Structure formats: structure tokens, C-alpha cells
Amino acid sequence: MMIAVVRYNAGNVFSVECALRRLGAEFVVTDNESVLAKADRVIFPGVGEAAAAMHHLRATGLDRVIRSLTAPVLGICIGQQLMCRHSEEGDVDGLGIFDANVKRLIPPSPEFKVPHTGWDTVALTSPDGPVPTGLDGHYFYYVHSYAVPVCRHTAAVTEYCGTWSAAMRHDNFHAVQFHPEKSGADGSTLLSHFLAL
């Protein structure tokens, strides 16, 4: 199996590399169109600002490449957000894979801090998403200020400053708002589940 991790101007690729090595998976980090098109699994990670990331994707043609992929794809954190139609962060249009808009988290009271940083639970809303059913109610690690409201693509939710999409699925495209690569054994289980699809 050939696993490709998308290289673009968003951080945290190293953590994903470490997580894949812990699983004993062979992978390549690449922005090469032909390599991505031939990959058996593609991981689209990232930490960063949506407008800058989308500008880079469009400038390099990776926006078109990612939309055209037919193998299972897993978006992580900003990867999930960039798969959506539009983001309030930088008022930028995304890849449009998920018919949803990304919204800023609005604290309902002073005790809610944004960015949402740390461990939080995930509740499944669909058995067909990227979160295995055995991980329903488990904790995963988050760092984000924006999130995708619950929509028809939502596969799991988390509640913090409201209820939003912790995981999403549309056809071969899977995505999670949290960081499985930083979520210990449960994160490894999720990544193994994705690689086995």
C-alpha cells in the first residue's frame, strides 16, 4: 500500500509522520500530482491559517488535485476545514468537497476559551465516518478556533461553544477536526482504521 501525506504550507506534518512510523506504515510526503493520484491512501493534515493555505493550494494546483482523488482521503484539523465550501477565517473559499461553511467558535461565557485547546470527547452520529464505533465517547486532542457546524456530512460531534462537526464523510473523503496523531492510542486506532478502509 502506498500512503501519501500532502505537502503544502501548513504545519504539523512531522507529527503525522511520527504517528505513521509508530504504526509501521510506509509513506511519502509529497506535493507531486502523479504520486498523489496513484496513492492508495492520502492524508491531508495541517495547522495554520485557512486563507494562506488555500492560496498555496491554488497557486500550486493542489486544490484541483485533491478534489480529483479517488482513493480514501483523510483531512486533519485545517485539512477538514479546507475541504469545506467556505471559511470565515480569512473569508476564503475552500475546496468545496463538503457542502458546509467553517465558522469561528464564539464563547458563550468567559470560562470558554478560544482557541479550543486540549482533550474533548467525540460522539458518533454515523457509523460510516472516520471514527471507529469503538471510539464513540473517547477523548481526542484539539487545537482550533474555527469549526464546521453540524451538517449532512457530519459523522461525529463535539460540544464546546456549541455543537459542531468533529468528523465528516463524503464519498471517499473523510475528515476530523481533532489531531489523531496527537491523541495517543485512540488516535493510532483511528489512523489504523483509515489505512484499512
Side-chain angles (χ1 to χ4, degrees):
M1 176 188 296
M2 187 174 79
I3 303 164
V5 179
V6 181
R7 176 190 285 124
Y8 68 115
N9 73 331
N12 206 44
V13 173
F14 180 71
S15 295
V16 173
E17 292 180 52
C18 291
L20 291 172
R21 288 193 186 99
R22 286 195 297 271
L23 294 174
E26 294 186 8
F27 63 92
V28 60
V29 180
T30 183
D31 58 5
N32 183 281
E33 178 175 353
S34 62
V35 173
L36 290 168
K38 292 176 183 176
D40 299 299
R41 301 289 182 276
V42 176
I43 298 177
F44 181 40
V47 171
E49 195 270 335
M54 276 308 305
H55 175 77
H56 180 82
L57 292 175
R58 290 195 182 100
T60 58
L62 281 171
D63 60 331
R64 172 186 51 79
V65 174
I66 293 168
R67 279 193 297 263
S68 70
L69 295 173
T70 56
V73 178
L74 178 65
I76 296 174
C77 194
I78 199 173
Q80 170 172 288
Q81 296 178 13
L82 295 177
M83 287 178 171
C84 293
R85 182 177 56 227
H86 184 84
S87 177
E88 286 187 348
E89 185 178 26
D91 189 23
V92 65
D93 288 336
L95 298 172
I97 294 165
F98 298 125
D99 185 20
N101 295 333
V102 182
K103 304 290 186 179
R104 182 169 179 80
L105 294 176
I106 305 297
S109 58
E111 62 263 27
F112 286 87
K113 305 300 181 185
V114 175
H116 173 218
T117 303
W119 297 84
D120 217 327
T121 55
V122 168
L124 267 65
T125 59
S126 168
D128 298 322
V131 181
T133 55
L135 298 182
D136 188 20
H138 286 222
Y139 283 84
F140 291 88
Y141 188 78
Y142 287 96
V143 183
H144 64 120
S145 299
Y146 294 79
V148 184
V150 176
C151 64
R152 63 190 179 95
H153 304 299
T154 301
V157 297
T158 290
E159 292 189 20
Y160 186 88
C161 300
T163 303
W164 34 263
S165 301
M168 304 175 74
R169 163 90 186 275
H170 177 60
D171 295 333
N172 59 306
F173 292 94
H174 305 252
V176 293
Q177 179 58 64
F178 53 82
H179 289 276
E181 75 279 9
K182 295 184 177 181
S183 297
D186 286 342
S188 294
T189 298
L190 185 147
L191 289 172
S192 294
H193 173 76
F194 170 72
L195 297 179
L197 290 176

